[in-house]
Amino acid sequence: MQLTVLIDNNSLVGSYFVAEPGLSLLIEDGDSRILFDAGYSDGFLINARRMNTDLLKLNWIVLSHGHFDHTWGLDALIRHRFESISQKMDVSRPTLLAHPLVFDSKTVSNEPEIGMMLSRDKLARHMDILDSTEPLWLTDKLVALGQIERIFDFEQSDPIGHRLTGGGSCDDTLPDDTALAYVEDEGLVIIAGCAHSGICNTVDHARRVTGEERVHSIIGGLHLLDASTERLDATAAYLAGLNLESLYCCHCTDLAAKIHLASQCPVREVGSGMRLTF
C-alpha cells in the first residue's frame, strides 16, 4: 500500500506544498485507489497536481465524518471532474462510502453550518453513494471500520455543537466518525481522519474487526486539541503498549499532545506531500 498525504495542517520543511487545517489522503492498494477525505478547499487538488497524481480515476471516496475540514473539498473535486469530462478526458465514477449521518447539517456557536455542503442527492449525480454503519472491506487488506464502538472512559468528550436531523436537533457526539485499517505482514496500519471516537477506541475497534492484534503504525488526526493531562497520559500509555513502529500525528493534534506522546511513542514528522509505503 502507498499512502500519500494530499493535505494536512503542516507542510514539510524543504517542500512546496499547500497546507491547511484539514486532511486528505490518497491510498493505493494494488489496482484500487481510495481518496480518504477531501480537506477544506482545493488545496488537496493543488498538491496532487504538483505531485503529478491523478485524482480522476478513483475507485472509492471514503469520508471519515461530516465536518467541513474533511468534506468541503468535494466541491472542488466535482468541479475538477466536470471540467475534465467536458474535455473528453477519461474519468471514473467512484463510490462514496460514509456513515448515513454524514449528510446531516451540523452547527456550532454562531456558525450556521460546519457540516456537508453538498446533499446526498446532488453527490449521487457524480458518484455512487453507499452509506453504512458496518465495516466494509475495500480491498483484500483495507477495511473501512464503520461506526466505532466507544469503550474507554478517558476518551469521552463533550459534544461539538448540534446535528440537525429529522426536523429537530441533538447534541453532536459525531456518531458518523470512522477510520480505515490496513492489514500488513507486521500488523495493522490505522488511518484516522479526526478520531472523534478516540484514537484508542479506534484501534481497539480495528483489532476486533480485523482479528489482528498487532498494530504497526498509526497515521491521521488524533483529535487531541487542548486535551487534559489525564487524557494525554492514558492515551500515551495505551499507544505505548502497542509497540508501534511509527505514529504520524496529523490534523487536529496540537503541539502539547505531540510532545506528550513523543515521550513514550515513536512520533514521526508528517505533512502535505509525504508518501509512505507499507
Side-chain angles (χ1 to χ4, degrees), residues 80-91:
H80 177 48
R81 289 169 50 82
F82 170 80
E83 293 159 3
S84 301
I85 290 170
S86 71
Q87 295 301 312
K88 315 252 186 266
M89 297 174 67
D90 186 14
V91 179

Side-chain angles (χ1 to χ4, degrees), residues 161-178:
H162 295 85
R163 180 166 51 83
L164 310 183
T165 183
S169 70
C170 61
D171 288 343
D172 192 9
T173 57
L174 278 297
D176 50 318
D177 176 74
T178 190

Side-chain angles (χ1 to χ4, degrees), residues 228-229 232-234 236 255-265:
S228 67
T229 300
L232 290 175
D233 283 342
L255 179 61
K258 292 177 183 178
I259 291 172
H260 204 108
L261 294 176
S263 67
Q264 299 187 54
C265 303

Side-chain angles (χ1 to χ4, degrees), residues 64 97-99 132-136 143-149 175-180 197 205 209:
S64 66
L97 174 64
H99 190 287
S132 176
T133 61
E134 298 300 316
L136 180 69
V143 61
L145 295 176
Q147 186 163 332
I148 295 170
E149 185 179 359
D176 50 318
D177 176 74
T178 190
L180 304 175
S197 302
H205 186 77
V209 168

